[in-house]
Amino acid sequence: MEIELLSFGKIAEFITIKKLSIDGISDTDGLKKYLEDKFPQLSEIKYKLAVDKQIIQKNRIITDQATVAIMPPFSGG
Amino acid sequence: MDTERYNRQLILKGFGEEAQQKLSKAKVLVIGAGGLGCPALQYLVASGVGKIGLVDGDVVSLSNLHRQLLFTTVDIGKLKVDIAAQRLNAINPNIKLETYSQFITQENALEIFSEYDFIIDGTDNFESRYLINDGCALLKKPLIFAAVSGYEGQLAVFNIESSGGEKTNYRDLFPIQPNKGEIPNCAENGILGVLPGIIGTMMAAEAIKLITGIGEPLINKILNYNLLNQQFYEIAITSSPSGTYKLPENENEFLKMNYSLKSTPNQVLEIDIKELENLQKKDSTLIIDVRETYEVPVLNPLDYKQIPMSVFQSFLNQDIEEENIVLLCQHGIRSLAAAEFLHEKYGDKKNIYSLKGGVIRWKNYFTSAS
């Protein structure tokens, strides 16, 4: 299946792809692991996933064509 | 009421005299008179909010002026709260302004917060942001949160129960405070001046909506804004599963929280350029530049080994042979964090240093040497 990726802040500097084929991955836990393997820098910072504009607080099924946002905290003011 | 002054919003459909009355009775605290705080203050004061508090212990500096438009060049070196109070008073003398020429701390936060109905967080560091979040959660104060990075901003309203009974705070997004150096700040990463102008103005808009009851404030939502493509992306926030984080439940617990991630001074030594020069002459010295590859000035890779902060964690798995390790970066903030990581690994087995003020402070040395 294919998902759309939306990266914010510092994460957008190393995750520049906008679409991702994730055959064999069906949920957010699986996606996290996949992303952290593919982009090791992601495992070094805090971030939150949102699927179709809903924040992910526990493992959730991902469906084809879902939009997954990857958001780091910002501190600047 | 000063009907002439507020005429254009008094005649506004859905606003009117009732909303103006609510504004005049409201008490709003703005923490930080920086890129976010300045525009928020200007609009809140102009709109007729009854009482406004301003907390900031800093003085105006030259690098503030491209985004903090309450201040001018002649104000450099003066206390931000003093200058801000003068300007804001000139904009609207009817507003009761209270200034606190100090930074927000665990010791002063609860007492100051308790005087206000709404808290606006315009600070620039995680230490203050987590402290403010927890203090507001403890006192059940509505918190208008915003933060910026590069060309992007985040905006949210916390601690207000939705019609469905859900109430969230910043820790529902990011339960644990990031480590020092994990996320770059404005001084390290840069910021386009107009960006906090936009986001800070949106903070004022959220405050006005909450006070007057108009529209739909960003309750349990975080709005992501990207200036480069003018995209807005709203994400709904739900509470974390219980046990994900712990908020202080009373003043005593709040005072005991550890927000300061500073190291004790004897762990990592901060050095100046003279000491760096001396260490450079020694045989067993490794100098590491933790800046990202795009940062300038570029240093000679033979003298300065480049290991960007973004890949530093994987570098930690390797063993360093040299006895003396000096870390440096643009301003000396990330290098301090990197030095702490190395200190955690090697303890006192190696001498670990961080160049205070970074490449920028000693620019002449680095540009002539490389």
Side-chain angles (χ1 to χ4, degrees), chain A residues 6 8-10 41 44-46 48 53 55 57 71-77, chain B residues 35-36 124 129 147-148 152 154 170 172-173 176 182-183 233 236 238 310 313:
Chain A
L6 193 57
F8 295 106
K10 191 185 170 183
Q41 285 154 281
E44 288 158 18
I45 62 172
K46 303 204 166 47
K48 202 83 178 168
K53 301 192 168 187
I55 214 86
Q57 298 290 20
M71 179 174 57
F74 294 169
S75 70
Chain B
L36 294 167
D124 61 359
R129 292 187 176 284
V148 288
E152 295 176 46
Q154 297 175 335
Y170 191 58
D172 288 308
L173 282 176
I176 299 162
E182 190 176 324
I183 304 284
Y233 194 80
T238 47
S310 52
Q313 292 294 333

PDB file of all heavy atoms in Angstrom, chain A residues 6 8-10 41 44-46 48 53 55 57 71-77, chain B residues 35-36 124 129 147-148 152 154 170 172-173 176 182-183 233 236 238 310 313:
ATOM      1  N   LEU A   6       4.127  13.580   5.489  1.00  0.00           N
ATOM      2  CA  LEU A   6       4.208  15.017   5.685  1.00  0.00           C
ATOM      3  C   LEU A   6       5.152  15.247   6.868  1.00  0.00           C
ATOM      4  O   LEU A   6       4.818  14.905   7.998  1.00  0.00           O
ATOM      5  CB  LEU A   6       2.796  15.539   5.985  1.00  0.00           C
ATOM      6  CG  LEU A   6       2.533  17.025   5.934  1.00  0.00           C
ATOM      7  CD1 LEU A   6       2.891  17.601   4.576  1.00  0.00           C
ATOM      8  CD2 LEU A   6       1.054  17.282   6.209  1.00  0.00           C
ATOM      9  N   PHE A   8       7.635  17.696   9.292  1.00  0.00           N
ATOM     10  CA  PHE A   8       7.730  19.085   9.754  1.00  0.00           C
ATOM     11  C   PHE A   8       9.108  19.377  10.349  1.00  0.00           C
ATOM     12  O   PHE A   8       9.791  18.472  10.832  1.00  0.00           O
ATOM     13  CB  PHE A   8       6.663  19.378  10.808  1.00  0.00           C
ATOM     14  CG  PHE A   8       5.263  19.303  10.274  1.00  0.00           C
ATOM     15  CD1 PHE A   8       4.449  18.227  10.579  1.00  0.00           C
ATOM     16  CD2 PHE A   8       4.764  20.302   9.446  1.00  0.00           C
ATOM     17  CE1 PHE A   8       3.151  18.146  10.087  1.00  0.00           C
ATOM     18  CE2 PHE A   8       3.478  20.227   8.951  1.00  0.00           C
ATOM     19  CZ  PHE A   8       2.667  19.159   9.275  1.00  0.00           C
ATOM     20  N   GLY A   9       9.461  20.666  10.352  1.00  0.00           N
ATOM     21  CA  GLY A   9      10.656  21.156  11.045  1.00  0.00           C
ATOM     22  C   GLY A   9      11.913  20.437  10.625  1.00  0.00           C
ATOM     23  O   GLY A   9      12.150  20.161   9.450  1.00  0.00           O
ATOM     24  N   LYS A  10      12.698  20.107  11.634  1.00  0.00           N
ATOM     25  CA  LYS A  10      13.989  19.457  11.416  1.00  0.00           C
ATOM     26  C   LYS A  10      13.828  18.121  10.688  1.00  0.00           C
ATOM     27  O   LYS A  10      14.705  17.699   9.925  1.00  0.00           O
ATOM     28  CB  LYS A  10      14.621  19.247  12.800  1.00  0.00           C
ATOM     29  CG  LYS A  10      16.053  18.821  12.783  1.00  0.00           C
ATOM     30  CD  LYS A  10      16.522  18.533  14.214  1.00  0.00           C
ATOM     31  CE  LYS A  10      17.895  17.872  14.194  1.00  0.00           C
ATOM     32  NZ  LYS A  10      18.360  17.522  15.541  1.00  0.00           N
ATOM     33  N   GLN A  41      18.261   9.170  11.867  1.00  0.00           N
ATOM     34  CA  GLN A  41      18.205  10.429  12.616  1.00  0.00           C
ATOM     35  C   GLN A  41      16.880  10.586  13.362  1.00  0.00           C
ATOM     36  O   GLN A  41      16.798  11.266  14.368  1.00  0.00           O
ATOM     37  CB  GLN A  41      18.368  11.617  11.667  1.00  0.00           C
ATOM     38  CG  GLN A  41      19.786  11.806  11.196  1.00  0.00           C
ATOM     39  CD  GLN A  41      19.825  12.510   9.849  1.00  0.00           C
ATOM     40  OE1 GLN A  41      19.610  11.892   8.813  1.00  0.00           O
ATOM     41  NE2 GLN A  41      20.089  13.797   9.864  1.00  0.00           N
ATOM     42  N   GLU A  44      16.733   9.572  16.931  1.00  0.00           N
ATOM     43  CA  GLU A  44      17.514  10.371  17.886  1.00  0.00           C
ATOM     44  C   GLU A  44      16.763  11.597  18.393  1.00  0.00           C
ATOM     45  O   GLU A  44      17.272  12.331  19.228  1.00  0.00           O
ATOM     46  CB  GLU A  44      18.818  10.831  17.209  1.00  0.00           C
ATOM     47  CG  GLU A  44      19.791   9.681  17.024  1.00  0.00           C
ATOM     48  CD  GLU A  44      20.802   9.955  15.918  1.00  0.00           C
ATOM     49  OE1 GLU A  44      20.975  11.127  15.540  1.00  0.00           O
ATOM     50  OE2 GLU A  44      21.417   8.982  15.453  1.00  0.00           O
ATOM     51  N   ILE A  45      15.590  11.849  17.847  1.00  0.00           N
ATOM     52  CA  ILE A  45      14.845  13.008  18.333  1.00  0.00           C
ATOM     53  C   ILE A  45      13.414  12.616  18.711  1.00  0.00           C
ATOM     54  O   ILE A  45      12.926  11.563  18.324  1.00  0.00           O
ATOM     55  CB  ILE A  45      14.808  14.176  17.302  1.00  0.00           C
ATOM     56  CG1 ILE A  45      14.092  13.738  16.026  1.00  0.00           C
ATOM     57  CG2 ILE A  45      16.178  14.694  16.986  1.00  0.00           C
ATOM     58  CD1 ILE A  45      13.860  14.910  15.089  1.00  0.00           C
ATOM     59  N   LYS A  46      12.789  13.505  19.465  1.00  0.00           N
ATOM     60  CA  LYS A  46      11.401  13.252  19.850  1.00  0.00           C
ATOM     61  C   LYS A  46      10.489  13.686  18.718  1.00  0.00           C
ATOM     62  O   LYS A  46      10.733  14.703  18.075  1.00  0.00           O
ATOM     63  CB  LYS A  46      11.090  14.011  21.132  1.00  0.00           C
ATOM     64  CG  LYS A  46      12.073  13.587  22.218  1.00  0.00           C
ATOM     65  CD  LYS A  46      11.614  13.770  23.605  1.00  0.00           C
ATOM     66  CE  LYS A  46      12.498  13.007  24.568  1.00  0.00           C
ATOM     67  NZ  LYS A  46      13.960  13.165  24.361  1.00  0.00           N
ATOM     68  N   LYS A  48       6.163  13.043  17.026  1.00  0.00           N
ATOM     69  CA  LYS A  48       4.840  12.453  17.177  1.00  0.00           C
ATOM     70  C   LYS A  48       4.287  12.180  15.782  1.00  0.00           C
ATOM     71  O   LYS A  48       4.485  12.974  14.871  1.00  0.00           O
ATOM     72  CB  LYS A  48       3.928  13.452  17.909  1.00  0.00           C
ATOM     73  CG  LYS A  48       2.746  12.832  18.580  1.00  0.00           C
ATOM     74  CD  LYS A  48       3.127  12.286  19.928  1.00  0.00           C
ATOM     75  CE  LYS A  48       1.919  11.699  20.635  1.00  0.00           C
ATOM     76  NZ  LYS A  48       2.337  10.927  21.809  1.00  0.00           N
ATOM     77  N   LYS A  53      -4.650  13.399  10.218  1.00  0.00           N
ATOM     78  CA  LYS A  53      -4.888  14.538  11.113  1.00  0.00           C
ATOM     79  C   LYS A  53      -5.318  14.163  12.538  1.00  0.00           C
ATOM     80  O   LYS A  53      -5.859  14.996  13.253  1.00  0.00           O
ATOM     81  CB  LYS A  53      -5.910  15.513  10.494  1.00  0.00           C
ATOM     82  CG  LYS A  53      -5.446  16.064   9.146  1.00  0.00           C
ATOM     83  CD  LYS A  53      -6.311  17.210   8.704  1.00  0.00           C
ATOM     84  CE  LYS A  53      -5.657  17.928   7.522  1.00  0.00           C
ATOM     85  NZ  LYS A  53      -6.360  19.128   7.148  1.00  0.00           N
ATOM     86  N   ILE A  55      -3.766  12.627  16.081  1.00  0.00           N
ATOM     87  CA  ILE A  55      -2.524  12.284  16.759  1.00  0.00           C
ATOM     88  C   ILE A  55      -2.554  10.801  17.161  1.00  0.00           C
ATOM     89  O   ILE A  55      -3.608  10.270  17.509  1.00  0.00           O
ATOM     90  CB  ILE A  55      -2.296  13.216  17.980  1.00  0.00           C
ATOM     91  CG1 ILE A  55      -0.817  13.479  18.177  1.00  0.00           C
ATOM     92  CG2 ILE A  55      -2.888  12.650  19.260  1.00  0.00           C
ATOM     93  CD1 ILE A  55      -0.293  14.608  17.370  1.00  0.00           C
ATOM     94  N   GLN A  57      -1.726   8.036  19.684  1.00  0.00           N
ATOM     95  CA  GLN A  57      -1.348   7.806  21.089  1.00  0.00           C
ATOM     96  C   GLN A  57      -1.099   6.332  21.367  1.00  0.00           C
ATOM     97  O   GLN A  57      -0.427   5.971  22.321  1.00  0.00           O
ATOM     98  CB  GLN A  57      -2.431   8.326  22.049  1.00  0.00           C
ATOM     99  CG  GLN A  57      -2.681   9.830  21.962  1.00  0.00           C
ATOM    100  CD  GLN A  57      -1.546  10.684  22.507  1.00  0.00           C
ATOM    101  OE1 GLN A  57      -0.418  10.237  22.628  1.00  0.00           O
ATOM    102  NE2 GLN A  57      -1.840  11.948  22.810  1.00  0.00           N
ATOM    103  N   MET A  71       5.883  14.951  13.285  1.00  0.00           N
ATOM    104  CA  MET A  71       6.027  16.298  13.857  1.00  0.00           C
ATOM    105  C   MET A  71       6.999  16.306  15.036  1.00  0.00           C
ATOM    106  O   MET A  71       6.794  15.585  16.005  1.00  0.00           O
ATOM    107  CB  MET A  71       4.635  16.753  14.308  1.00  0.00           C
ATOM    108  CG  MET A  71       4.585  18.115  14.946  1.00  0.00           C
ATOM    109  SD  MET A  71       2.885  18.632  15.295  1.00  0.00           S
ATOM    110  CE  MET A  71       2.308  17.297  16.327  1.00  0.00           C
ATOM    111  N   PRO A  72       8.044  17.132  14.987  1.00  0.00           N
ATOM    112  CA  PRO A  72       8.926  17.278  16.148  1.00  0.00           C
ATOM    113  C   PRO A  72       8.449  18.446  17.015  1.00  0.00           C
ATOM    114  O   PRO A  72       7.670  19.270  16.552  1.00  0.00           O
ATOM    115  CB  PRO A  72      10.273  17.634  15.505  1.00  0.00           C
ATOM    116  CG  PRO A  72       9.890  18.434  14.297  1.00  0.00           C
ATOM    117  CD  PRO A  72       8.532  17.929  13.835  1.00  0.00           C
ATOM    118  N   PRO A  73       8.918  18.526  18.268  1.00  0.00           N
ATOM    119  CA  PRO A  73       8.600  19.725  19.054  1.00  0.00           C
ATOM    120  C   PRO A  73       9.456  20.897  18.580  1.00  0.00           C
ATOM    121  O   PRO A  73      10.588  20.698  18.154  1.00  0.00           O
ATOM    122  CB  PRO A  73       8.990  19.316  20.473  1.00  0.00           C
ATOM    123  CG  PRO A  73      10.028  18.254  20.315  1.00  0.00           C
ATOM    124  CD  PRO A  73       9.758  17.562  19.011  1.00  0.00           C
ATOM    125  N   PHE A  74       8.904  22.097  18.638  1.00  0.00           N
ATOM    126  CA  PHE A  74       9.673  23.324  18.372  1.00  0.00           C
ATOM    127  C   PHE A  74       9.816  24.065  19.701  1.00  0.00           C
ATOM    128  O   PHE A  74       8.896  24.059  20.511  1.00  0.00           O
ATOM    129  CB  PHE A  74       8.924  24.280  17.436  1.00  0.00           C
ATOM    130  CG  PHE A  74       8.721  23.794  16.022  1.00  0.00           C
ATOM    131  CD1 PHE A  74       7.863  24.476  15.167  1.00  0.00           C
ATOM    132  CD2 PHE A  74       9.378  22.681  15.531  1.00  0.00           C
ATOM    133  CE1 PHE A  74       7.666  24.056  13.858  1.00  0.00           C
ATOM    134  CE2 PHE A  74       9.185  22.246  14.221  1.00  0.00           C
ATOM    135  CZ  PHE A  74       8.323  22.943  13.383  1.00  0.00           C
ATOM    136  N   SER A  75      10.933  24.758  19.878  1.00  0.00           N
ATOM    137  CA  SER A  75      11.047  25.560  21.102  1.00  0.00           C
ATOM    138  C   SER A  75      11.158  27.050  20.801  1.00  0.00           C
ATOM    139  O   SER A  75      11.026  27.882  21.673  1.00  0.00           O
ATOM    140  CB  SER A  75      12.261  25.114  21.915  1.00  0.00           C
ATOM    141  OG  SER A  75      13.450  25.501  21.244  1.00  0.00           O
ATOM    142  N   GLY A  76      11.423  27.418  19.569  1.00  0.00           N
ATOM    143  CA  GLY A  76      11.778  28.806  19.246  1.00  0.00           C
ATOM    144  C   GLY A  76      10.660  29.805  19.475  1.00  0.00           C
ATOM    145  O   GLY A  76       9.491  29.487  19.370  1.00  0.00           O
ATOM    146  N   GLY A  77      11.068  31.028  19.807  1.00  0.00           N
ATOM    147  CA  GLY A  77      10.089  32.085  19.993  1.00  0.00           C
ATOM    148  C   GLY A  77      10.723  33.417  19.706  1.00  0.00           C
ATOM    149  O   GLY A  77      10.161  34.444  19.894  1.00  0.00           O
TER     150      GLY A  77
ATOM    151  N   GLY B  35      10.054  37.264  19.752  1.00  0.00           N
ATOM    152  CA  GLY B  35       9.430  37.256  18.425  1.00  0.00           C
ATOM    153  C   GLY B  35       7.938  36.983  18.472  1.00  0.00           C
ATOM    154  O   GLY B  35       7.162  37.562  17.721  1.00  0.00           O
ATOM    155  N   LEU B  36       7.519  36.088  19.363  1.00  0.00           N
ATOM    156  CA  LEU B  36       6.091  35.765  19.502  1.00  0.00           C
ATOM    157  C   LEU B  36       5.388  36.757  20.412  1.00  0.00           C
ATOM    158  O   LEU B  36       4.269  37.201  20.136  1.00  0.00           O
ATOM    159  CB  LEU B  36       5.916  34.352  20.076  1.00  0.00           C
ATOM    160  CG  LEU B  36       6.371  33.181  19.222  1.00  0.00           C
ATOM    161  CD1 LEU B  36       6.430  31.902  20.050  1.00  0.00           C
ATOM    162  CD2 LEU B  36       5.449  32.994  18.025  1.00  0.00           C
ATOM    163  N   ASP B 124      11.396  30.790  24.508  1.00  0.00           N
ATOM    164  CA  ASP B 124      12.219  30.262  23.410  1.00  0.00           C
ATOM    165  C   ASP B 124      13.041  29.049  23.805  1.00  0.00           C
ATOM    166  O   ASP B 124      14.060  28.757  23.194  1.00  0.00           O
ATOM    167  CB  ASP B 124      13.139  31.370  22.883  1.00  0.00           C
ATOM    168  CG  ASP B 124      14.092  31.878  23.954  1.00  0.00           C
ATOM    169  OD1 ASP B 124      14.010  31.385  25.105  1.00  0.00           O
ATOM    170  OD2 ASP B 124      14.912  32.757  23.656  1.00  0.00           O
ATOM    171  N   ARG B 129       9.132  26.107  28.540  1.00  0.00           N
ATOM    172  CA  ARG B 129       7.883  25.620  27.964  1.00  0.00           C
ATOM    173  C   ARG B 129       7.265  24.487  28.792  1.00  0.00           C
ATOM    174  O   ARG B 129       6.054  24.462  29.017  1.00  0.00           O
ATOM    175  CB  ARG B 129       8.100  25.185  26.514  1.00  0.00           C
ATOM    176  CG  ARG B 129       8.405  26.390  25.619  1.00  0.00           C
ATOM    177  CD  ARG B 129       8.462  26.019  24.167  1.00  0.00           C
ATOM    178  NE  ARG B 129       8.667  27.163  23.314  1.00  0.00           N
ATOM    179  CZ  ARG B 129       7.745  28.059  23.001  1.00  0.00           C
ATOM    180  NH1 ARG B 129       6.517  27.944  23.503  1.00  0.00           N
ATOM    181  NH2 ARG B 129       8.014  29.074  22.209  1.00  0.00           N
ATOM    182  N   ALA B 147       5.208  28.004  18.984  1.00  0.00           N
ATOM    183  CA  ALA B 147       6.654  27.902  18.863  1.00  0.00           C
ATOM    184  C   ALA B 147       7.008  27.928  17.383  1.00  0.00           C
ATOM    185  O   ALA B 147       6.197  27.532  16.549  1.00  0.00           O
ATOM    186  CB  ALA B 147       7.158  26.614  19.513  1.00  0.00           C
ATOM    187  N   VAL B 148       8.211  28.394  17.098  1.00  0.00           N
ATOM    188  CA  VAL B 148       8.622  28.509  15.697  1.00  0.00           C
ATOM    189  C   VAL B 148       9.979  27.844  15.490  1.00  0.00           C
ATOM    190  O   VAL B 148      10.765  27.697  16.424  1.00  0.00           O
ATOM    191  CB  VAL B 148       8.702  29.989  15.259  1.00  0.00           C
ATOM    192  CG1 VAL B 148       7.319  30.583  15.122  1.00  0.00           C
ATOM    193  CG2 VAL B 148       9.546  30.819  16.220  1.00  0.00           C
ATOM    194  N   GLU B 152       8.695  27.500   9.932  1.00  0.00           N
ATOM    195  CA  GLU B 152       7.459  26.845  10.364  1.00  0.00           C
ATOM    196  C   GLU B 152       7.061  27.244  11.777  1.00  0.00           C
ATOM    197  O   GLU B 152       7.897  27.591  12.598  1.00  0.00           O
ATOM    198  CB  GLU B 152       7.642  25.315  10.327  1.00  0.00           C
ATOM    199  CG  GLU B 152       7.863  24.774   8.930  1.00  0.00           C
ATOM    200  CD  GLU B 152       8.139  23.288   8.957  1.00  0.00           C
ATOM    201  OE1 GLU B 152       7.413  22.555   9.651  1.00  0.00           O
ATOM    202  OE2 GLU B 152       9.090  22.862   8.280  1.00  0.00           O
ATOM    203  N   GLN B 154       4.109  26.348  15.146  1.00  0.00           N
ATOM    204  CA  GLN B 154       3.092  25.493  15.765  1.00  0.00           C
ATOM    205  C   GLN B 154       2.271  26.356  16.710  1.00  0.00           C
ATOM    206  O   GLN B 154       2.820  27.209  17.401  1.00  0.00           O
ATOM    207  CB  GLN B 154       3.752  24.375  16.592  1.00  0.00           C
ATOM    208  CG  GLN B 154       4.586  23.409  15.797  1.00  0.00           C
ATOM    209  CD  GLN B 154       5.318  22.397  16.681  1.00  0.00           C
ATOM    210  OE1 GLN B 154       5.596  22.652  17.851  1.00  0.00           O
ATOM    211  NE2 GLN B 154       5.632  21.251  16.112  1.00  0.00           N
ATOM    212  N   TYR B 170       0.519  20.095  26.629  1.00  0.00           N
ATOM    213  CA  TYR B 170       1.668  19.888  25.746  1.00  0.00           C
ATOM    214  C   TYR B 170       2.276  18.494  25.898  1.00  0.00           C
ATOM    215  O   TYR B 170       2.786  17.917  24.943  1.00  0.00           O
ATOM    216  CB  TYR B 170       2.717  20.959  26.039  1.00  0.00           C
ATOM    217  CG  TYR B 170       3.848  21.018  25.032  1.00  0.00           C
ATOM    218  CD1 TYR B 170       3.598  21.227  23.674  1.00  0.00           C
ATOM    219  CD2 TYR B 170       5.177  20.864  25.427  1.00  0.00           C
ATOM    220  CE1 TYR B 170       4.631  21.290  22.755  1.00  0.00           C
ATOM    221  CE2 TYR B 170       6.221  20.926  24.513  1.00  0.00           C
ATOM    222  CZ  TYR B 170       5.938  21.140  23.179  1.00  0.00           C
ATOM    223  OH  TYR B 170       6.975  21.194  22.261  1.00  0.00           O
ATOM    224  N   ASP B 172       0.762  15.793  26.202  1.00  0.00           N
ATOM    225  CA  ASP B 172       0.042  14.817  25.388  1.00  0.00           C
ATOM    226  C   ASP B 172       0.648  14.723  23.981  1.00  0.00           C
ATOM    227  O   ASP B 172       0.454  13.737  23.284  1.00  0.00           O
ATOM    228  CB  ASP B 172      -1.444  15.174  25.296  1.00  0.00           C
ATOM    229  CG  ASP B 172      -2.150  14.923  26.620  1.00  0.00           C
ATOM    230  OD1 ASP B 172      -2.015  13.806  27.154  1.00  0.00           O
ATOM    231  OD2 ASP B 172      -2.804  15.855  27.130  1.00  0.00           O
ATOM    232  N   LEU B 173       1.373  15.754  23.592  1.00  0.00           N
ATOM    233  CA  LEU B 173       2.080  15.716  22.312  1.00  0.00           C
ATOM    234  C   LEU B 173       3.495  15.178  22.495  1.00  0.00           C
ATOM    235  O   LEU B 173       3.927  14.260  21.814  1.00  0.00           O
ATOM    236  CB  LEU B 173       2.182  17.130  21.725  1.00  0.00           C
ATOM    237  CG  LEU B 173       0.952  17.702  21.041  1.00  0.00           C
ATOM    238  CD1 LEU B 173       1.233  19.136  20.627  1.00  0.00           C
ATOM    239  CD2 LEU B 173       0.588  16.867  19.827  1.00  0.00           C
ATOM    240  N   ILE B 176       7.980  13.913  27.108  1.00  0.00           N
ATOM    241  CA  ILE B 176       9.275  14.098  27.765  1.00  0.00           C
ATOM    242  C   ILE B 176      10.018  15.266  27.135  1.00  0.00           C
ATOM    243  O   ILE B 176      10.088  15.395  25.915  1.00  0.00           O
ATOM    244  CB  ILE B 176      10.126  12.815  27.673  1.00  0.00           C
ATOM    245  CG1 ILE B 176       9.394  11.667  28.370  1.00  0.00           C
ATOM    246  CG2 ILE B 176      11.506  13.012  28.282  1.00  0.00           C
ATOM    247  CD1 ILE B 176       9.896  10.309  28.002  1.00  0.00           C
ATOM    248  N   GLU B 182      19.070  18.455  21.189  1.00  0.00           N
ATOM    249  CA  GLU B 182      18.289  17.525  20.369  1.00  0.00           C
ATOM    250  C   GLU B 182      17.534  18.268  19.263  1.00  0.00           C
ATOM    251  O   GLU B 182      17.460  17.809  18.125  1.00  0.00           O
ATOM    252  CB  GLU B 182      17.312  16.777  21.282  1.00  0.00           C
ATOM    253  CG  GLU B 182      16.608  15.621  20.622  1.00  0.00           C
ATOM    254  CD  GLU B 182      15.715  14.861  21.610  1.00  0.00           C
ATOM    255  OE1 GLU B 182      16.081  14.734  22.797  1.00  0.00           O
ATOM    256  OE2 GLU B 182      14.641  14.411  21.180  1.00  0.00           O
ATOM    257  N   ILE B 183      16.944  19.401  19.628  1.00  0.00           N
ATOM    258  CA  ILE B 183      16.186  20.212  18.684  1.00  0.00           C
ATOM    259  C   ILE B 183      16.845  21.594  18.643  1.00  0.00           C
ATOM    260  O   ILE B 183      17.024  22.215  19.691  1.00  0.00           O
ATOM    261  CB  ILE B 183      14.712  20.359  19.165  1.00  0.00           C
ATOM    262  CG1 ILE B 183      14.055  18.991  19.373  1.00  0.00           C
ATOM    263  CG2 ILE B 183      13.914  21.243  18.223  1.00  0.00           C
ATOM    264  CD1 ILE B 183      13.650  18.258  18.125  1.00  0.00           C
ATOM    265  N   TYR B 233      -1.735  22.991   8.520  1.00  0.00           N
ATOM    266  CA  TYR B 233      -2.098  21.583   8.708  1.00  0.00           C
ATOM    267  C   TYR B 233      -2.498  21.388  10.174  1.00  0.00           C
ATOM    268  O   TYR B 233      -1.690  21.540  11.082  1.00  0.00           O
ATOM    269  CB  TYR B 233      -0.922  20.676   8.344  1.00  0.00           C
ATOM    270  CG  TYR B 233      -1.312  19.231   8.183  1.00  0.00           C
ATOM    271  CD1 TYR B 233      -1.894  18.774   7.011  1.00  0.00           C
ATOM    272  CD2 TYR B 233      -1.106  18.311   9.210  1.00  0.00           C
ATOM    273  CE1 TYR B 233      -2.254  17.446   6.844  1.00  0.00           C
ATOM    274  CE2 TYR B 233      -1.470  16.978   9.060  1.00  0.00           C
ATOM    275  CZ  TYR B 233      -2.035  16.556   7.875  1.00  0.00           C
ATOM    276  OH  TYR B 233      -2.394  15.243   7.722  1.00  0.00           O
ATOM    277  N   ALA B 236      -5.615  16.897  15.277  1.00  0.00           N
ATOM    278  CA  ALA B 236      -6.417  16.780  16.505  1.00  0.00           C
ATOM    279  C   ALA B 236      -5.611  16.049  17.570  1.00  0.00           C
ATOM    280  O   ALA B 236      -4.993  15.024  17.308  1.00  0.00           O
ATOM    281  CB  ALA B 236      -7.704  16.024  16.203  1.00  0.00           C
ATOM    282  N   THR B 238      -5.440  14.089  21.194  1.00  0.00           N
ATOM    283  CA  THR B 238      -6.201  13.382  22.229  1.00  0.00           C
ATOM    284  C   THR B 238      -5.269  13.139  23.412  1.00  0.00           C
ATOM    285  O   THR B 238      -4.050  13.275  23.283  1.00  0.00           O
ATOM    286  CB  THR B 238      -6.715  12.035  21.696  1.00  0.00           C
ATOM    287  OG1 THR B 238      -5.629  11.374  21.040  1.00  0.00           O
ATOM    288  CG2 THR B 238      -7.845  12.222  20.706  1.00  0.00           C
ATOM    289  N   SER B 310      23.305  15.760  13.992  1.00  0.00           N
ATOM    290  CA  SER B 310      22.249  14.857  13.514  1.00  0.00           C
ATOM    291  C   SER B 310      22.720  13.413  13.424  1.00  0.00           C
ATOM    292  O   SER B 310      21.905  12.504  13.363  1.00  0.00           O
ATOM    293  CB  SER B 310      21.736  15.337  12.156  1.00  0.00           C
ATOM    294  OG  SER B 310      22.821  15.524  11.264  1.00  0.00           O
ATOM    295  N   GLN B 313      24.800  10.610  17.579  1.00  0.00           N
ATOM    296  CA  GLN B 313      24.486   9.423  18.393  1.00  0.00           C
ATOM    297  C   GLN B 313      25.170   8.174  17.842  1.00  0.00           C
ATOM    298  O   GLN B 313      25.676   7.352  18.595  1.00  0.00           O
ATOM    299  CB  GLN B 313      22.976   9.208  18.479  1.00  0.00           C
ATOM    300  CG  GLN B 313      22.237  10.280  19.268  1.00  0.00           C
ATOM    301  CD  GLN B 313      22.582  10.310  20.745  1.00  0.00           C
ATOM    302  OE1 GLN B 313      22.966   9.300  21.326  1.00  0.00           O
ATOM    303  NE2 GLN B 313      22.470  11.481  21.360  1.00  0.00           N
TER     304      GLN B 313
END
